[in-house]
Amino acid sequence: MDKFTNLTGVAAPMPLVNVDTDMIIPKQFLKTIKRSGLGANLFDEMRYDREGNEIADFVLNQPAYRSAEILVAGDNFGCGSSREHAPWALLDFGIRCVIAPSFADIFFNNCFKNGILPIALPQEQVDILMKDAEKGANARISVDLEAQTITSSDGQVFTFDIDPFKKHCLLNGLDDIGLTMERVDDIGAFEARQTAARPWL
Amino acid sequence: MTAPKTLYDKIWDAHLVHEAEDGTCLLYIDRHLVHEVTSPQAFEGLRMAGRSVRAPEKTIAVPDHNVPTDPDRLSGIKDEQSRIQVELLRTNAHDFGIELYDVDDVRQGIVHIIGPEQGWTQPGMTIVCGDSHTATHGAFGALAHGIGTSEVEHVLATQTLIQKKSKNMLVKVEGELPPGVTAKDITMTVIGRTGTAGGTGHVIEYAGSAIRALSMEGRMTVCNMAIEGGARAGLIAPDEKTFEYVKGRPHAPKGGEWEMALEYWKTLHSDEGAHYDKVIEIDAADIAPVVTWGTSPEDVLPITATVPAPEDFTGGKVEAARRSLDYMGLTPGQKLSDIEIDTVFIGSCTNGRIEDLREVARIVEGRKVKDGIRAMIVPGSGLVRLQAEQEGIAQKLIDAGFDWRMAGCSMCLGMNPDQLAPGERCASTSNRNFEGRQGYKGRTHLVSPAMAAAAAVTGRLTDVRDLM
């Protein structure tokens, strides 16, 4: 996993609430056995018509946002299916940070496993950043994970909360499995206790 | 004396391997269910790192999302990518020593149907699967939730998950359900009330006399859609019905271990005075047969209502409702019971169990599927299908005009050939009405099996009470 430290980039505004993972990456693209290459089909049914032509007014098709690295979104972003293909598709497109008033639980966790930073902010602050994002490619938003700050294009600074362990993993690009493997003795001891107390498990 | 605990607290505490100072926990996982869509990259990760599966005996695999449901499917899956995923699951199960319920096995079916059916799902367990509807297993008083593929790999390698504890939420449904109202109506009504983000950050415990009165099948329907309310998991305290359901199943405890297990399971209930961070109370008598009108599972209304207008909402929901109405091709003020449908889909991990099929058979008894309506029934497993055939239900349904299919996820998400065409409108017993979910530009109305049966007969969304 790539580290996430600082990011300054174009933010695409997507004010829709309840954006679900079926929208982010429709089912027909879940048949892949790889993690890569899904960016071309990110938001596929909103982004292309049936013949595969771009729908001009979709935000990521607009010239200003074609190389967006941040998404500013509506409430409950990433709800629905647990498909990790959703963060894979965002990452493959180039999005490293999503800012929204709230996120669905599984999507939120999946982001951290892929070096994407999801940031939940109060609605009023998201509204300000949404307006900023609507200004287009010249309005670049900066995110500093170490300092836990977001700076809008006109210099307004917002602070955000993040779980310390998740922050540590992102900053250092750590693989959780490697970290858990260091606790293999604790896992073995738990299994021994459980087998003694609840042998049917 | 220790503080009173909720059922969730008890299961959590019993699975804690390690807790760091910041509250990050390592939680032990008792059962891991694997299907073909969200696991290939996890197994690839294990191979690349030279890791094995820590507890293959606690892991099962089944192909369900991609499998065709036509009876000649054993001649091979025609879609190449689907075929590759199913073959890869077979290879991975074989290479890593995991029990597989393959396409030609009568026990094959939707992962969340076969877990309970085979006795893999038991009270007090932690259960995960790379599928959000893992919440289903919470009906047994097991802590069960969906995970992403990276976490699938983590569980395969370590039999644990890194977690932070969620909050406790109680949904209490007291009283008796009116005729024609089912478990599906309860769970949809809750989501309509709380919204799709109402449960975010929480584990929901469903309680109250209306929940206790449900069969195990009904309880699974309720917990299945906890995720649609945003919750990490849904839970129902186990009772005699639960124990009776589990007893004697192939992977249920036997002999002395059964007695030990039973004694433990009887302690799995929330203590008097346990703390909940959020409480929702619903009177069962107030629940009506419901349908969804929009493209979010929170867009729930009684069948007697009319299509709402965007102005009926506030905030971001105004624009979302406008978009939904446009997508669904509906006009504000239109009666929901006037909406004509093209297709009926009965099945899924929400409503693909034997009791659901019995309910459909009861409603269509002596009636026919309306001419021109495509009505398909996809049993949740090969064993549900077989049981329905043995009970004579299957023949009744076929005689009424239903298409009787093989088991799988099917049109719930349309990864196999069972899909809606653009503009086609479906009354569906599944769990999600998202844009494109059942097929590109397809229109989904979520309903109970009884309501789906009624719609099949009349060709429009229908109050099932009118047919009772």
Side-chain angles (χ1 to χ4, degrees), chain A residues 18 20 22 27 30-32 34-35 50 76 80-81 84 105 109-110 163 177 180 190-191 194, chain B residues 28 30 41 51 54 82 85 148-150 153-154 164 196 232 298 413-415 432 434 436-437 440:
Chain A
N18 297 331
D20 57 69
D22 275 79
K27 60 187 160 281
L30 309 190
K31 295 184 182 184
T32 178
K34 301 191 179 329
R35 292 172 199 247
R50 206 72 217 268
N76 197 29
S81 159
E84 196 162 321
D105 189 48
N109 278 321
N110 285 342
D163 176 89
I177 298 179
T180 299
F190 177 91
E191 285 172 334
Q194 197 190 49
Chain B
Y28 195 77
D30 295 323
Q41 296 87 347
R51 288 168 176 148
R54 183 176 177 90
S82 293
Q85 275 196 337
T149 298
S150 296
E153 185 180 340
H154 192 282
K164 275 249 166 105
T196 50
R232 169 156 278 262
E298 69 189 15
L413 85 167
M415 273 193 81
R432 288 188 176 134
F434 297 152
R437 173 82 179 177
Y440 181 75

Side-chain angles (χ1 to χ4, degrees), chain A residues 5-192:
Chain A
T5 49
N6 294 287
L7 173 67
T8 297
V10 173
M14 191 179 270
L16 200 60
V17 298
N18 297 331
V19 169
D20 57 69
T21 53
D22 275 79
M23 270 181 187
I24 298 172
I25 186 81
K27 60 187 160 281
Q28 60 270 34
F29 305 108
L30 309 190
K31 295 184 182 184
T32 178
I33 56 171
K34 301 191 179 329
R35 292 172 199 247
S36 56
L38 289 165
N41 303 105
L42 175 69
F43 293 114
D44 195 83
E45 290 179 3
M46 300 163 89
R47 196 164 147 203
Y48 306 107
D49 66 18
R50 206 72 217 268
E51 284 71 48
N53 304 306
E54 287 186 3
I55 297 169
D57 64 356
F58 180 68
V59 63
L60 297 180
N61 289 333
Q62 295 169 23
Y65 302 110
R66 297 183 81 92
S67 55
E69 292 172 88
I70 300 169
L71 200 60
V72 185
D75 208 11
N76 197 29
F77 188 84
C79 60
S81 159
S82 63
R83 57 188 72 169
E84 196 162 321
H85 308 69
W88 294 339
L90 287 164
L91 186 69
D92 195 57
F93 179 88
I95 305 272
R96 293 291 309 275
C97 175
V98 185
I99 301 169
S102 73
F103 292 88
D105 189 48
I106 302 176
F107 173 81
F108 187 76
N109 278 321
N110 285 342
C111 282
F112 287 100
K113 311 288 180 189
N114 293 282
I116 298 176
L117 173 61
I119 301 175
L121 287 180
Q123 182 75 51
E124 315 81 73
Q125 297 183 6
V126 174
D127 290 345
I128 294 169
L129 290 168
M130 190 74 74
K131 286 227 156 40
D132 202 33
E134 283 165 1
K135 292 176 190 163
N138 293 325
R140 293 160 72 85
I141 290 178
S142 294
V143 179
D144 181 336
L145 176 56
E146 181 61 55
Q148 296 180 215
T149 57
I150 302 172
T151 310
S152 69
S153 64
D154 56 6
Q156 278 195 81
V157 178
F158 303 94
T159 57
F160 62 88
D161 287 333
I162 181 169
D163 176 89
F165 176 73
K166 289 189 163 93
K167 177 179 176 179
H168 173 71
C169 289
L170 267 188
L171 281 172
N172 297 290
L174 296 179
D175 159 25
D176 303 339
I177 298 179
L179 290 174
T180 299
M181 285 295 196
E182 292 172 10
R183 300 221 165 269
V184 70
D185 291 345
D186 290 339
I187 299 171
F190 177 91
E191 285 172 334

